[in-house]
mmCIF file of all heavy atoms in Angstrom:
data_model
loop_
_atom_site.group_PDB
_atom_site.id
_atom_site.type_symbol
_atom_site.label_atom_id
_atom_site.label_comp_id
_atom_site.label_asym_id
_atom_site.label_seq_id
_atom_site.Cartn_x
_atom_site.Cartn_y
_atom_site.Cartn_z
ATOM 1 N N ALA A 71 199.651 -49.063 -83.718
ATOM 2 C CA ALA A 71 199.599 -48.460 -82.385
ATOM 3 C C ALA A 71 200.757 -47.518 -82.107
ATOM 4 O O ALA A 71 200.746 -46.812 -81.096
ATOM 5 C CB ALA A 71 199.572 -49.563 -81.322
ATOM 6 N N ALA A 72 201.760 -47.495 -82.958
ATOM 7 C CA ALA A 72 202.956 -46.685 -82.726
ATOM 8 C C ALA A 72 202.754 -45.282 -83.295
ATOM 9 O O ALA A 72 202.954 -45.052 -84.497
ATOM 10 C CB ALA A 72 204.173 -47.351 -83.350
ATOM 11 N N ALA A 73 202.388 -44.347 -82.442
ATOM 12 C CA ALA A 73 202.123 -42.982 -82.883
ATOM 13 C C ALA A 73 203.378 -42.345 -83.464
ATOM 14 O O ALA A 73 204.467 -42.439 -82.889
ATOM 15 C CB ALA A 73 201.601 -42.154 -81.710
ATOM 16 N N GLY A 74 203.226 -41.729 -84.621
ATOM 17 C CA GLY A 74 204.334 -41.026 -85.247
ATOM 18 C C GLY A 74 205.240 -41.895 -86.074
ATOM 19 O O GLY A 74 206.233 -41.403 -86.636
ATOM 20 N N ILE A 75 204.924 -43.179 -86.180
ATOM 21 C CA ILE A 75 205.758 -44.108 -86.955
ATOM 22 C C ILE A 75 204.896 -44.792 -88.009
ATOM 23 O O ILE A 75 203.817 -45.316 -87.702
ATOM 24 C CB ILE A 75 206.434 -45.141 -86.044
ATOM 25 C CG1 ILE A 75 207.460 -44.450 -85.137
ATOM 26 C CG2 ILE A 75 207.101 -46.257 -86.852
ATOM 27 C CD1 ILE A 75 208.135 -45.360 -84.140
ATOM 28 N N GLU A 76 205.370 -44.784 -89.242
ATOM 29 C CA GLU A 76 204.659 -45.406 -90.352
ATOM 30 C C GLU A 76 205.440 -46.620 -90.856
ATOM 31 O O GLU A 76 206.606 -46.832 -90.494
ATOM 32 C CB GLU A 76 204.484 -44.394 -91.498
ATOM 33 C CG GLU A 76 203.816 -43.095 -91.088
ATOM 34 C CD GLU A 76 202.369 -43.284 -90.682
ATOM 35 O OE1 GLU A 76 201.767 -44.288 -91.127
ATOM 36 O OE2 GLU A 76 201.844 -42.438 -89.940
ATOM 37 N N ALA A 77 204.791 -47.392 -91.711
ATOM 38 C CA ALA A 77 205.434 -48.589 -92.259
ATOM 39 C C ALA A 77 206.745 -48.246 -92.949
ATOM 40 O O ALA A 77 207.731 -48.983 -92.853
ATOM 41 C CB ALA A 77 204.474 -49.281 -93.230
ATOM 42 N N ALA A 78 206.771 -47.115 -93.647
ATOM 43 C CA ALA A 78 207.973 -46.727 -94.378
ATOM 44 C C ALA A 78 209.145 -46.392 -93.469
ATOM 45 O O ALA A 78 210.295 -46.352 -93.924
ATOM 46 C CB ALA A 78 207.657 -45.529 -95.276
ATOM 47 N N ASP A 79 208.866 -46.172 -92.166
ATOM 48 C CA ASP A 79 209.926 -45.818 -91.228
ATOM 49 C C ASP A 79 210.688 -47.040 -90.709
ATOM 50 O O ASP A 79 211.792 -46.893 -90.176
ATOM 51 C CB ASP A 79 209.341 -45.075 -90.023
ATOM 52 C CG ASP A 79 208.717 -43.743 -90.406
ATOM 53 O OD1 ASP A 79 209.310 -43.050 -91.247
ATOM 54 O OD2 ASP A 79 207.645 -43.419 -89.872
ATOM 55 N N VAL A 80 210.119 -48.225 -90.832
ATOM 56 C CA VAL A 80 210.746 -49.425 -90.265
ATOM 57 C C VAL A 80 212.046 -49.732 -90.993
ATOM 58 O O VAL A 80 212.084 -49.839 -92.222
ATOM 59 C CB VAL A 80 209.792 -50.634 -90.341
ATOM 60 C CG1 VAL A 80 210.487 -51.901 -89.847
ATOM 61 C CG2 VAL A 80 208.532 -50.367 -89.512
ATOM 62 N N THR A 81 213.115 -49.859 -90.224
ATOM 63 C CA THR A 81 214.435 -50.128 -90.800
ATOM 64 C C THR A 81 214.913 -51.562 -90.556
ATOM 65 O O THR A 81 215.756 -52.070 -91.288
ATOM 66 C CB THR A 81 215.476 -49.172 -90.201
ATOM 67 O OG1 THR A 81 215.501 -49.324 -88.764
ATOM 68 C CG2 THR A 81 215.151 -47.728 -90.549
ATOM 69 N N HIS A 82 214.381 -52.203 -89.502
ATOM 70 C CA HIS A 82 214.798 -53.553 -89.138
ATOM 71 C C HIS A 82 213.570 -54.371 -88.744
ATOM 72 O O HIS A 82 212.663 -53.850 -88.086
ATOM 73 C CB HIS A 82 215.752 -53.555 -87.942
ATOM 74 C CG HIS A 82 217.020 -52.783 -88.143
ATOM 75 N ND1 HIS A 82 217.045 -51.400 -88.204
ATOM 76 C CD2 HIS A 82 218.314 -53.198 -88.266
ATOM 77 C CE1 HIS A 82 218.291 -50.994 -88.357
ATOM 78 N NE2 HIS A 82 219.082 -52.054 -88.406
ATOM 79 N N VAL A 83 213.567 -55.640 -89.108
ATOM 80 C CA VAL A 83 212.548 -56.597 -88.652
ATOM 81 C C VAL A 83 213.269 -57.769 -88.007
ATOM 82 O O VAL A 83 214.158 -58.375 -88.625
ATOM 83 C CB VAL A 83 211.665 -57.091 -89.813
ATOM 84 C CG1 VAL A 83 210.737 -58.207 -89.339
ATOM 85 C CG2 VAL A 83 210.853 -55.938 -90.402
ATOM 86 N N VAL A 84 212.884 -58.076 -86.772
ATOM 87 C CA VAL A 84 213.439 -59.220 -86.051
ATOM 88 C C VAL A 84 212.285 -60.148 -85.683
ATOM 89 O O VAL A 84 211.365 -59.736 -84.972
ATOM 90 C CB VAL A 84 214.185 -58.787 -84.771
ATOM 91 C CG1 VAL A 84 214.795 -60.011 -84.085
ATOM 92 C CG2 VAL A 84 215.254 -57.752 -85.081
ATOM 93 N N THR A 85 212.304 -61.375 -86.185
ATOM 94 C CA THR A 85 211.257 -62.333 -85.855
ATOM 95 C C THR A 85 211.818 -63.435 -84.962
ATOM 96 O O THR A 85 213.012 -63.735 -84.986
ATOM 97 C CB THR A 85 210.647 -62.953 -87.126
ATOM 98 O OG1 THR A 85 211.691 -63.486 -87.952
ATOM 99 C CG2 THR A 85 209.873 -61.909 -87.909
ATOM 100 N N VAL A 86 210.919 -64.014 -84.170
ATOM 101 C CA VAL A 86 211.307 -65.002 -83.163
ATOM 102 C C VAL A 86 210.323 -66.160 -83.190
ATOM 103 O O VAL A 86 209.108 -65.946 -83.193
ATOM 104 C CB VAL A 86 211.297 -64.386 -81.747
ATOM 105 C CG1 VAL A 86 211.750 -65.397 -80.710
ATOM 106 C CG2 VAL A 86 212.145 -63.131 -81.682
ATOM 107 N N SER A 87 210.833 -67.397 -83.202
ATOM 108 C CA SER A 87 209.953 -68.556 -83.092
ATOM 109 C C SER A 87 210.786 -69.830 -82.917
ATOM 110 O O SER A 87 211.904 -69.920 -83.431
ATOM 111 C CB SER A 87 209.072 -68.706 -84.344
ATOM 112 O OG SER A 87 208.058 -69.665 -84.149
ATOM 113 N N CYS A 88 210.214 -70.789 -82.211
ATOM 114 C CA CYS A 88 210.898 -72.078 -82.044
ATOM 115 C C CYS A 88 209.977 -73.253 -82.342
ATOM 116 O O CYS A 88 210.317 -74.399 -82.047
ATOM 117 C CB CYS A 88 211.459 -72.209 -80.623
ATOM 118 S SG CYS A 88 210.210 -72.371 -79.326
ATOM 119 N N THR A 89 208.803 -72.987 -82.935
ATOM 120 C CA THR A 89 207.823 -74.059 -83.127
ATOM 121 C C THR A 89 207.637 -74.450 -84.585
ATOM 122 O O THR A 89 206.717 -75.206 -84.913
ATOM 123 C CB THR A 89 206.476 -73.657 -82.507
ATOM 124 O OG1 THR A 89 206.144 -72.313 -82.895
ATOM 125 C CG2 THR A 89 206.554 -73.715 -80.996
ATOM 126 N N GLY A 90 208.504 -73.956 -85.475
ATOM 127 C CA GLY A 90 208.431 -74.352 -86.865
ATOM 128 C C GLY A 90 209.466 -73.606 -87.695
ATOM 129 O O GLY A 90 210.133 -72.685 -87.212
ATOM 130 N N PHE A 91 209.592 -74.031 -88.970
ATOM 131 C CA PHE A 91 210.572 -73.450 -89.880
ATOM 132 C C PHE A 91 209.980 -73.356 -91.284
ATOM 133 O O PHE A 91 209.265 -74.264 -91.716
ATOM 134 C CB PHE A 91 211.838 -74.306 -89.970
ATOM 135 C CG PHE A 91 212.544 -74.550 -88.666
ATOM 136 C CD1 PHE A 91 212.256 -75.668 -87.904
ATOM 137 C CD2 PHE A 91 213.509 -73.662 -88.209
ATOM 138 C CE1 PHE A 91 212.908 -75.906 -86.711
ATOM 139 C CE2 PHE A 91 214.179 -73.891 -87.019
ATOM 140 C CZ PHE A 91 213.882 -75.008 -86.263
ATOM 141 N N PHE A 92 210.300 -72.280 -92.001
ATOM 142 C CA PHE A 92 210.039 -72.220 -93.438
ATOM 143 C C PHE A 92 210.819 -71.044 -94.005
ATOM 144 O O PHE A 92 211.197 -70.111 -93.295
ATOM 145 C CB PHE A 92 208.541 -72.101 -93.754
ATOM 146 C CG PHE A 92 207.882 -70.840 -93.249
ATOM 147 C CD1 PHE A 92 207.737 -69.733 -94.075
ATOM 148 C CD2 PHE A 92 207.371 -70.765 -91.962
ATOM 149 C CE1 PHE A 92 207.114 -68.576 -93.631
ATOM 150 C CE2 PHE A 92 206.745 -69.618 -91.498
ATOM 151 C CZ PHE A 92 206.612 -68.520 -92.340
ATOM 152 N N ALA A 93 211.070 -71.095 -95.299
ATOM 153 C CA ALA A 93 211.796 -70.016 -95.971
ATOM 154 C C ALA A 93 211.228 -69.847 -97.382
ATOM 155 O O ALA A 93 210.944 -70.841 -98.055
ATOM 156 C CB ALA A 93 213.288 -70.336 -96.028
ATOM 157 N N PRO A 94 211.067 -68.601 -97.870
ATOM 158 C CA PRO A 94 211.326 -67.389 -97.099
ATOM 159 C C PRO A 94 210.431 -67.333 -95.868
ATOM 160 O O PRO A 94 209.268 -67.724 -95.920
ATOM 161 C CB PRO A 94 211.018 -66.263 -98.084
ATOM 162 C CG PRO A 94 210.134 -66.876 -99.117
ATOM 163 C CD PRO A 94 210.540 -68.305 -99.217
ATOM 164 N N GLY A 95 211.005 -66.855 -94.770
ATOM 165 C CA GLY A 95 210.390 -67.006 -93.471
ATOM 166 C C GLY A 95 209.460 -65.891 -93.060
ATOM 167 O O GLY A 95 209.054 -65.043 -93.872
ATOM 168 N N PRO A 96 209.097 -65.870 -91.771
ATOM 169 C CA PRO A 96 208.134 -64.877 -91.278
ATOM 170 C C PRO A 96 208.613 -63.447 -91.432
ATOM 171 O O PRO A 96 207.804 -62.533 -91.623
ATOM 172 C CB PRO A 96 207.960 -65.261 -89.806
ATOM 173 C CG PRO A 96 209.144 -66.099 -89.466
ATOM 174 C CD PRO A 96 209.499 -66.815 -90.716
ATOM 175 N N ASP A 97 209.924 -63.222 -91.360
ATOM 176 C CA ASP A 97 210.450 -61.871 -91.570
ATOM 177 C C ASP A 97 210.091 -61.371 -92.970
ATOM 178 O O ASP A 97 209.659 -60.224 -93.154
ATOM 179 C CB ASP A 97 211.965 -61.866 -91.354
ATOM 180 C CG ASP A 97 212.674 -62.965 -92.127
ATOM 181 O OD1 ASP A 97 212.218 -64.125 -92.059
ATOM 182 O OD2 ASP A 97 213.677 -62.680 -92.807
#
């Protein structure tokens, strides 16, 4: 949905959750 932005443009990923844990995680 982000016009003008592609997957290759993403520089940071921030994930949020408090209902479970695993690693390597959702990020």
